[in-house]
Each structure stands twice: as structure tokens, then as C-alpha cells.
Amino acid sequence: MLKTIMSISGKPGLYKLISRGKNMLIVESLSADKKRIPAYNHEKMISLGDIAIFVEDGEAPLKDVLAAIKEKENGNVASIDVKKADDKALNAYLAEVLPDFDRDRVYSRDIKKLISWYNILVTNGITEFNGAATEEATAE
């Protein structure tokens, strides 16, 4: 499922891939308005399925980190308020979920974005972060 969810540089929030056009993608906002917009080739887009978090001995796929947050939060939105939390609180929160994250290469802004993305996904009912079977079932 995360392969069809995109982050677009310069645009807030997350977007779901709807269709492909000539030199562009059609994406739908995961915000309340569900607005569909074109995303052009010159815009920096990345699928959440291609993102990883630095850990001490390599990288942890984003899907695994999101699944760990889901387990910690029992499938609910994150218990930490990213707008009010300081760097120490953000690092402590991520340490509970991913104890071996690389504290030198994972910045507070990255943790804020991770938690914000998790909240957007959970709010939109996207809670299956692992497994291709779920992805195929929703595509049919």
C-alpha cells in the first residue's frame, strides 16, 4: 500500500497515486478535501515504500517503523504532539519505537515528518504497512 502513497516536495501532506498521464501523475490529497491534482516530472516525488530510516547498522524500511508506531499506539494516532514536542521528547519517542536509530543522521524534523505521516495514514484508514497481500487485495 505504501508504494502508492507519495510525498511531493514543496507540498504539504501525503498523496495517493490515482493515475498516470503523459509526463505527469494524477494524485489525490489524503487531507479532508481529497483534491486531485497533477504532479509533474520536474517535482520531486517519492513513494513512502522507498523511504528508510537510518539505524546504527544500515537502514530500517519506513513500513517497519510505521508498523512499530502502530503497535506502540494500538492503531491510534500518535500520542505525541509534534507541534509542541521538543527535540528531546521526539528522540525519546522514536527511541521507544526504533531503539537503534542513528541519532547523528536522523534529525528532529525527520521524526516530526514521520509522526505526521503516520497520523495522516491512520486518519485515512491506511493501517496495513506490511505485506503485499493486503496491497493486492485493495487494488482489486
Side-chain angles (χ1 to χ4, degrees):
M1 186 67 179
L2 292 183
K3 285 285 185 192
T4 62
I5 306 297
M6 314 288 285
S7 171
I8 302 174
S9 183
K11 296 185 181 183
L14 294 174
Y15 299 84
K16 183 176 182 176
L17 176 63
I18 300 298
S19 178
R20 297 177 189 271
K22 187 175 183 179
N23 298 325
M24 69 175 168
L25 300 175
I26 305 297
V27 295
E28 181 178 80
S29 171
L30 288 182
S31 64
D33 64 359
K34 302 288 185 201
K35 185 176 180 181
R36 289 186 180 191
I37 61 169
Y40 297 97
N41 290 341
H42 67 275
E43 295 177 290
K44 186 178 177 188
M45 298 174 275
I46 188 161
S47 164
L48 295 192
D50 297 333
I51 297 176
I53 304 290
F54 291 115
V55 293
E56 295 297 332
D57 59 347
E59 297 177 343
L62 183 64
K63 65 179 182 161
D64 295 343
V65 179
L66 291 171
I69 294 173
K70 177 185 171 187
E71 185 176 321
K72 175 188 176 356
E73 301 293 350
N74 295 317
N76 299 315
V77 295
S79 56
I80 188 170
D81 184 352
V82 293
K83 293 181 180 179
K84 295 180 181 177
D86 62 0
D87 294 352
K88 188 175 181 180
L90 292 167
N91 282 317
Y93 182 87
L94 187 59
E96 287 180 42
V97 175
L98 189 66
D100 63 337
F101 82 96
D102 190 333
R103 285 153 178 81
D104 294 329
R105 297 195 295 174
V106 178
Y107 302 107
S108 296
R109 68 178 182 265
D110 301 325
I111 301 170
K112 284 182 179 183
K113 189 176 286 187
L114 168 69
I115 296 168
S116 296
W117 285 352
Y118 171 79
N119 287 340
I120 291 169
L121 293 169
V122 168
T123 301
N124 283 279
I126 302 169
T127 58
E128 291 301 321
F129 306 120
N130 290 320
T134 305
E135 190 171 328
E136 292 170 7
T138 57
E140 292 177 355

